[in-house]
Amino acid sequence: MNQATEAAPAREAPLTDTQSVMTEDAQSDSRLPPVRLDSFEGPLDVLLHLIRSQKLEIFDIPIAMITEQYLAILEAEAELDLDLAGDYLVMASTLMQLKSRMLLPRLEVDEEGNEIDPRAELAAQLIAYEQYRMLAEELGERSRLGRDVFTRPIFPEADEVERPLPAPDLDAMLVAFRKVLKRVGGEVRHHIFSDTMSVREQMGVILERLANGGMQLEELLLDQPGREPLVITVLAILELWRQQTVTVVQSEPYGSITLLPASPNNEYAELNT
Amino acid sequence: MSKEAEMTDPTQLSQHIEALLLASDEPLSMKKLRGLLGEDISSADIRATISELESHYQNRGIRINTVAGGWQFRTAPEHAELIQQLWQVRTPRLSRSALETLAIIAYRQPATRGEIEALRGVKVSSNIIASLQERGWIKVLGRKEVPGRPHLYGTGRQFLIDFELNSLSDLPDSAQLMDEDEIQQIVAENQAELSESQDNAPPHQDDNSEQDPIYDNEQTSLQTETGNPEIIQADIGPAEQAS
Amino acid sequence: MSKEAEMTDPTQLSQHIEALLLASDEPLSMKKLRGLLGEDISSADIRATISELESHYQNRGIRINTVAGGWQFRTAPEHAELIQQLWQVRTPRLSRSALETLAIIAYRQPATRGEIEALRGVKVSSNIIASLQERGWIKVLGRKEVPGRPHLYGTGRQFLIDFELNSLSDLPDSAQLMDEDEIQQIVAENQAELSESQDNAPPHQDDNSEQDPIYDNEQTSLQTETGNPEIIQADIGPAEQAS
């Protein structure tokens, strides 16, 4: 489908549909036509547009003029999306700073004693970005599976074959989990818990150790090397207790504390078979 | 090869049919083909072209077969054994449901099946649980002391080995799987929803009737966290409240 | 039909390869093919047969493509529009930001989100990262050992498969891509020259004698730059050959 659209002139191709405001004419017209900010991918994109459309020298950017034009584009925007605004405003201040530095005698010199052009950093940034912008365009135009070329979606031959167990794939699992998170929406807050992973892990370990019967608390804590594992173990026990997965017994004040699995041993043994 | 080159190129129609038969996820019937190829191409043309294609492929490794009232590319039956070998050698990918189940267990352990179902929004088949268990990726850690005493699942040692993790804390932060903005947005949306329908517990949630308060607490503490994986700090908050 | 019948039948090997390539749900590598076809068949034979098959299919509706280090049957690109009709849902277009992010990750991998943002000059939304991840085009390779331990992204195998690349070195123009140091050097040299020509002060000119010819070429091209970003790239090619 998109073949027709995506094969359109390179300049247009990467713009999303709602953003195609620039026309070929706009490119060649030196009198800058109005442009909308959302047709750009950020301040560097805007600057490149200004520089390239006016055939300016990237190593010798007329900062005063460009700054003015850049600010004009920003001001034309009725309301700046706050998220976006930040990056654009930072560039605006960079430009204004460059403008003032251009008026001063060059003070900075490199190792060889050559004066450093204050615009060097910006020029380098623009060149680097322009490279990737172009590579992105090329990537977008490459024929792509599922858009330009297609492969076989079903494999009837595989139906009758007994297949081996699937291979582990961490990435696939993470992607799957992410989809779950997205799908369940509000449940997501229950999932910002990876920082507590060690506690959960420890909960599992404790449950396993308790599988064969009760254990003294000291016994459980004894082989925890260092403060952190100790704290995590205690937290895990507390959490298990709260969940009523374990029972904590203390027969007398300051007496030894015993942990018991909430489910009988024999039953637990069964579960594992 | 040279003979091939002498041959006239396959017609446009023939190319179209070949491409469609390969890309379709079901056998394509005459009716479907006509719909796709445009009304100006007659059934007779299509039939003639398919029969040309059928004979073109008749001595090749792949065929155009008539299946369920349509046509489809299939491997020639004499290569069945070879193909079987391919499928046996080729490790299949984990199904999406298996991956999701495993991921939820890994991140939420210990977790009951009910909790997994609540998250996934669909029933978790026993086959999936069994095959993950068989693999050693998950195991039963105990039972949850709630009505029905459901099994509590966690990941097994083999999970760490197969997924090349040193410990569970090597699993990427679930928070990093989603954007903070995204999370905030979802949370906001859902809090709005929740306040609207607070008492309407979803039907499949009876199993985890006690939505662990720890998670709610964690949310509070972790949201004030700034992505710093300081484990203890993040945890002491809720646990202290819990105790 | 009659012509076909006269032709010599495809060899057994050719039939086997055709059948395997059709039956496999991923590109089959030489290694896999050898494993399946038996050790007594040489890589050279397989390669020769595949190249025969490639030319056999070159004017047909389906092709044998070289992808991700293997071979796979795919439809010919000119039928894209026709095949798209098979599905109700149209392939969503990739946004420019997604493509730029993907390009930076593909060419610079491993790259952190911060590095991508620095290059693009804008915040990279997590949605973009996530959707690239969901497609399997990028994946987390690890973490960078700097404060915050940000994820390092690289391309996944699906990137090669979907973009019809045999390997990462097949990425267009990857050899010509300039790194930061090269860019800085070019900028410095060009600006030095500009200021010299402006001041009409040629005392440093002799320095240029030892300049790499690459930069001279580039400088010329960049000064005559006409708004077409391809030019930077286009000019490096010949320069590289020169060097």
Side-chain angles (χ1 to χ4, degrees):
Chain A
M1 66 140 219
N2 277 325
Q3 239 203 344
T5 33
E6 298 227 0
R11 193 74 202 131
E12 291 263 333
L15 296 176
T16 59
D17 294 321
T18 52
Q19 297 178 332
S20 329
V21 278
M22 276 194 296
T23 62
E24 286 297 312
D25 288 345
Q27 298 294 303
S28 49
D29 197 343
S30 59
R31 207 171 80 308
L32 284 176
V35 286
R36 292 220 345 263
L37 212 52
D38 65 6
S39 61
F40 293 104
E41 283 299 320
L44 293 176
D45 202 24
V46 173
L47 291 180
L48 276 175
H49 163 74
L50 293 174
I51 291 164
R52 295 310 187 199
S53 64
Q54 299 172 93
K55 301 184 171 53
L56 300 173
E57 171 55 61
I58 203 163
F59 298 115
D60 192 19
I61 304 168
I63 290 290
M65 179 180 111
I66 288 289
T67 305
E68 216 168 283
Q69 291 172 347
Y70 180 88
L71 292 176
I73 293 176
L74 243 60
E75 279 157 16
E77 226 39 40
E79 50 192 78
L80 267 179
D81 177 352
L82 265 182
D83 245 12
L84 266 166
D87 293 318
Y88 283 102
L89 294 178
V90 166
M91 180 57 75
S93 74
T94 306
L95 288 172
M96 289 188 277
Q97 202 205 352
L98 278 180
K99 198 172 129 185
S100 59
R101 275 169 71 195
M102 292 299 286
L103 301 172
L104 303 169
R106 307 267 172 90
L107 296 174
E108 298 145 79
V109 289
D110 64 17
E111 310 92 56
E112 284 148 37
N114 297 315
E115 288 165 348
I116 294 174
D117 191 314
R119 300 166 299 176
E121 199 184 321
L122 182 62
Q125 232 185 328
L126 287 169
I127 291 173
Y129 173 65
E130 194 168 41
Q131 289 191 111
Y132 288 107
R133 193 177 74 168
M134 190 223 25
L135 292 170
E137 257 180 46
E138 284 183 6
L139 215 50
E141 283 159 20
R142 268 192 90 78
S143 98
R144 191 156 78 233
L145 187 66
R147 184 192 70 181
D148 307 306
V149 296
F150 301 85
T151 189
R152 206 181 179 205
I154 48 153
F155 303 89
E157 293 88 355
D159 291 350
E160 308 99 37
V161 185
E162 197 179 309
R163 305 177 67 180
L165 282 164
D169 184 343
L170 187 58
D171 264 329
M173 192 189 77
L174 295 176
V175 167
F177 189 53
R178 192 177 181 284
K179 281 183 183 146
V180 173
L181 292 183
K182 268 183 140 171
R183 210 162 58 226
V184 298
E187 273 272 349
V188 82
R189 59 207 170 123
H190 296 169
H191 296 276
I192 317 168
F193 47 64
S194 49
D195 294 20
T196 68
M197 193 55 80
S198 301
V199 174
R200 285 175 188 286
E201 199 172 8
Q202 197 59 22
M203 283 162 73
V205 170
I206 293 166
L207 278 177
E208 269 183 82
R209 293 186 65 181
L210 291 179
N212 301 319
M215 261 180 111
Q216 300 284 309
L217 178 63
E218 295 91 82
E219 209 181 327
L220 268 170
L221 297 178
L222 200 61
D223 47 357
Q224 299 305 327
R227 189 160 160 264
E228 195 171 311
L230 211 61
V231 173
I232 287 169
T233 306
V234 172
L235 290 175
I237 292 169
L238 289 173
E239 179 55 23
L240 285 168
W241 190 15
R242 205 188 51 72
Q243 284 189 354
Q244 299 180 347
T245 315
V246 299
T247 311
V248 179
V249 182
Q250 188 177 27
S251 38
E252 53 186 286
Y254 306 107
S256 67
I257 296 171
T258 309
L259 274 82
L260 294 165
S263 56
N265 309 334
N266 51 0
E267 193 177 348
Y268 180 69
E270 265 174 34
L271 298 177
N272 267 336
T273 53
Chain B
M1 194 47 245
S2 54
K3 259 189 184 157
E4 292 276 329
E6 283 163 30
M7 282 180 58
T8 50
D9 282 348
T11 62
Q12 169 95 346
L13 180 58
S14 154
Q15 289 193 34
H16 281 169
I17 293 173
E18 273 183 328
L20 286 170
L21 293 188
L22 184 79
S24 172
D25 57 0
E26 54 176 10
L28 284 178
S29 64
M30 176 58 76
K31 196 176 152 215
K32 286 230 174 80
L33 281 171
R34 286 206 68 182
L36 291 160
L37 294 164
E39 287 306 315
D40 44 328
I41 291 166
S42 71
S43 301
D45 283 346
I46 295 175
R47 208 172 290 279
T49 306
I50 288 179
S51 110
E52 262 171 46
L53 283 171
E54 278 169 342
S55 28
H56 173 83
Y57 284 102
Q58 96 187 324
N59 294 314
R60 304 199 69 90
I62 61 178
R63 303 280 161 84
I64 290 179
N65 285 10
T66 322
V67 195
W71 291 276
Q72 190 172 54
F73 271 111
R74 291 263 177 120
T75 58
E78 56 266 38
H79 309 308
E81 219 173 310
L82 187 65
I83 303 304
Q84 289 233 341
Q85 221 184 307
L86 165 76
W87 284 112
Q88 277 155 9
V89 167
R90 162 110 180 74
T91 15
R93 291 187 192 161
L94 277 173
S95 73
R96 186 167 152 188
S97 37
L99 279 169
E100 287 184 0
T101 305
L102 179 61
I104 292 169
I105 292 173
Y107 277 94
R108 286 203 66 161
Q109 57 188 298
T112 66
R113 189 144 139 188
E115 285 160 357
I116 300 162
E117 288 175 347
L119 273 168
R120 291 195 52 220
V122 285
K123 230 174 122 40
V124 173
S125 88
S126 304
N127 276 337
I128 287 178
I129 297 279
S131 74
L132 291 173
Q133 261 178 311
E134 198 183 321
R135 200 68 211 255
W137 287 347
I138 66 167
K139 59 183 183 186
V140 175
L141 299 175
R143 281 178 185 268
K144 188 160 181 170
E145 288 308 318
V146 294
R149 302 185 64 240
H151 287 173
L152 281 166
Y153 295 96
T155 49
R157 208 173 112 73
Q158 202 58 39
F159 172 76
L160 298 179
I161 295 170
D162 288 351
F163 285 80
E164 295 181 12
L165 299 163
N166 276 327
S167 76
L168 283 177
S169 47
D170 281 352
L171 273 176
D173 288 0
S174 69
Q176 268 190 282
L177 294 177
M178 287 185 103
D179 197 38
E180 262 160 60
D181 301 348
E182 240 175 332
I183 291 168
Q184 297 290 352
Q185 196 189 331
I186 288 173
V187 169
E189 277 166 18
N190 277 273
Q191 275 169 348
E193 248 171 63
L194 275 178
S195 57
E196 275 165 28
S197 59
Q198 223 156 16
D199 307 320
N200 299 345
H204 50 275
Q205 286 209 345
D206 4 357
D207 201 357
N208 29 310
S209 41
E210 70 220 75
Q211 287 278 327
D212 287 352
I214 193 177
Y215 301 133
D216 284 329
N217 289 342
E218 265 166 17
Q219 175 218 348
T220 329
S221 74
L222 287 169
Q223 275 189 343
T224 56
E225 272 284 308
T226 52
N228 183 337
E230 273 284 87
I231 296 158
I232 296 183
Q233 261 190 333
D235 267 1
I236 286 176
E240 275 182 349
Q241 286 166 26
S243 56
Chain C
M1 177 59 226
S2 53
K3 254 187 189 162
E4 292 277 329
E6 283 163 31
M7 282 179 57
T8 49
D9 283 347
T11 61
Q12 171 93 346
L13 179 57
S14 157
Q15 288 194 33
H16 280 168
I17 292 174
E18 268 185 330
L20 285 171
L21 293 188
L22 185 78
S24 173
D25 61 354
E26 58 157 26
L28 281 180
S29 65
M30 174 60 77
K31 197 177 151 216
K32 288 224 174 90
L33 281 170
R34 285 204 71 182
L36 289 159
L37 294 165
E39 288 305 316
D40 43 329
I41 291 166
S42 72
S43 301
D45 284 346
I46 295 175
R47 211 172 286 278
T49 306
I50 288 177
S51 113
E52 263 170 43
L53 284 171
E54 279 169 341
S55 24
H56 173 82
Y57 283 100
Q58 96 186 325
N59 293 314
R60 307 200 65 91
I62 60 177
R63 306 273 164 87
I64 291 178
N65 287 13
T66 319
V67 203
W71 294 275
Q72 188 176 45
F73 270 111
R74 292 191 170 185
T75 60
E78 56 265 36
H79 309 308
E81 231 167 308
L82 178 71
I83 294 164
Q84 291 270 3
Q85 292 180 71
L86 280 171
W87 296 287
Q88 255 83 44
V89 189
R90 302 196 126 202
T91 329
R93 212 160 156 196
L94 282 176
S95 70
R96 246 179 95 187
S97 33
L99 278 169
E100 284 181 8
T101 305
L102 179 61
I104 291 170
I105 292 172
Y107 283 88
R108 287 187 57 119
Q109 55 190 303
T112 65
R113 187 148 143 186
E115 285 159 3
I116 299 162
E117 289 176 345
L119 272 167
R120 294 190 55 221
V122 281
K123 201 167 166 313
V124 171
S125 94
S126 296
N127 271 331
I128 287 179
I129 296 280
S131 75
L132 293 174
Q133 248 175 327
E134 266 171 45
R135 286 166 185 261
W137 290 348
I138 66 167
K139 57 184 196 178
V140 175
L141 299 176
R143 283 173 184 270
K144 189 162 183 168
E145 290 306 327
V146 295
R149 303 185 68 236
H151 284 166
L152 281 166
Y153 296 97
T155 49
R157 190 171 137 79
Q158 199 63 37
F159 172 72
L160 298 180
I161 291 176
D162 285 355
F163 283 83
E164 304 225 283
L165 294 160
N166 197 24
S167 74
L168 281 178
S169 55
D170 284 352
L171 275 172
D173 303 320
S174 55
Q176 288 99 318
L177 194 65
M178 291 183 285
D179 65 21
E180 271 96 56
D181 293 346
E182 286 171 303
I183 291 172
Q184 255 155 33
Q185 207 176 335
I186 289 170
V187 171
E189 280 161 12
N190 278 278
Q191 286 184 332
E193 250 169 61
L194 278 170
S195 65
E196 273 159 20
S197 62
Q198 271 158 18
D199 304 340
N200 277 341
H204 300 73
Q205 280 294 11
D206 7 8
D207 288 351
N208 279 347
S209 52
E210 37 187 302
Q211 265 185 10
D212 192 315
I214 289 179
Y215 303 128
D216 279 335
N217 287 347
E218 268 165 16
Q219 179 218 338
T220 326
S221 77
L222 287 166
Q223 281 183 343
T224 56
E225 187 60 79
T226 56
N228 182 344
E230 304 237 352
I231 285 184
I232 297 187
Q233 214 64 40
D235 270 34
I236 297 172
E240 287 231 326
Q241 285 164 17
S243 62

